[in-house]
Amino acid sequence: MRDENCIFCKLANGDIPTATLYEDEDFRVILDANPASKGHALIIPKEHYANLYELDETLAGKAMVLAKKMVTKLTDVLGCDGYNLVQNNGECAGQTVFHFHLHMIPRYKDDGVGLGWKLNELTDEDREDILSRI
Ligand code: 5GP
Ligand code: ZN
């Protein structure tokens, strides 16, 4: 299913031209318009799924296999030193486009890309709460 109001449906299906690194029957891989670093790309399914919760399980597996292949190839092409895979779900998590996508962000030594978070201590209360309910 596609959503006619969704920009990523249009990009993934070629309705709007975009810099494409790879395409197959399930996905298009494009360069991000606002890259965190040189080569920042997005894996986008051609069908509309708002987020990981909605994503078809088979496609979820295929997306990760594709990410492995793309990262391996792009590391060679770009000469980067590492990679972050980032996937945001929900506004509070930084999602701005509500069509599932997987960020592949090349990392270069001392590139200053800020993807960090503050490290907290796992509390006894949180550990017991989570383990008792999972
Ligand atoms: P999110 O914040 O939802 O995880 O990521 C959305 C990403 O999509 C952002 O990195 C943003 O730069 C990218 N983006 C949004 N609109 C477009 C577009 O029209 N073309 C491309 N290539 N990237 C886009
Ligand atoms: Zn869509």
Side-chain angles (χ1 to χ4, degrees):
M1 283 272 284
R2 292 177 197 167
D3 178 340
E4 62 183 29
N5 297 314
C6 172
I7 179 82
F8 275 17
C9 280
K10 294 186 172 76
L11 290 168
N13 290 284
D15 301 338
I16 299 174
T18 190
T20 298
L21 304 180
Y22 174 84
E23 182 185 6
D24 63 24
E25 62 179 351
D26 296 315
F27 301 99
R28 185 182 293 264
V29 182
I30 71 170
L31 290 177
D32 195 294
N34 307 105
S37 64
K38 182 177 177 180
H40 180 171
L42 305 170
I43 295 179
I44 308 177
K46 292 186 172 182
E47 297 290 320
H48 183 86
Y49 302 95
N51 49 41
L52 185 65
Y53 302 110
E54 287 189 5
L55 184 66
D56 173 84
E57 280 194 7
T58 303
L59 277 184
K62 286 182 176 179
M64 190 51 79
V65 172
L66 180 54
K68 175 180 167 56
K69 288 179 177 162
M70 293 299 305
V71 162
T72 302
K73 171 76 176 175
L74 285 166
T75 296
D76 194 31
V77 169
L78 296 166
C80 59
D81 303 303
Y83 250 94
N84 291 114
L85 296 184
V86 176
Q87 201 279 304
N88 300 324
N89 298 281
E91 209 172 331
C92 72
Q95 187 175 11
T96 59
V97 177
F98 295 88
H99 174 131
F100 174 91
H101 51 281
L102 180 56
H103 294 261
M104 297 184 293
I105 304 174
R107 300 303 303 269
Y108 304 87
K109 190 172 180 300
D110 301 324
D111 61 18
V113 173
L115 286 172
W117 52 82
K118 181 171 155 281
L119 297 177
N120 299 296
E121 200 71 35
L122 175 63
T123 65
D124 293 345
E125 187 186 1
D126 281 356
R127 186 187 60 240
E128 292 315 314
D129 176 47
I130 295 161
L131 293 182
S132 69
R133 289 192 291 126
I134 193 74

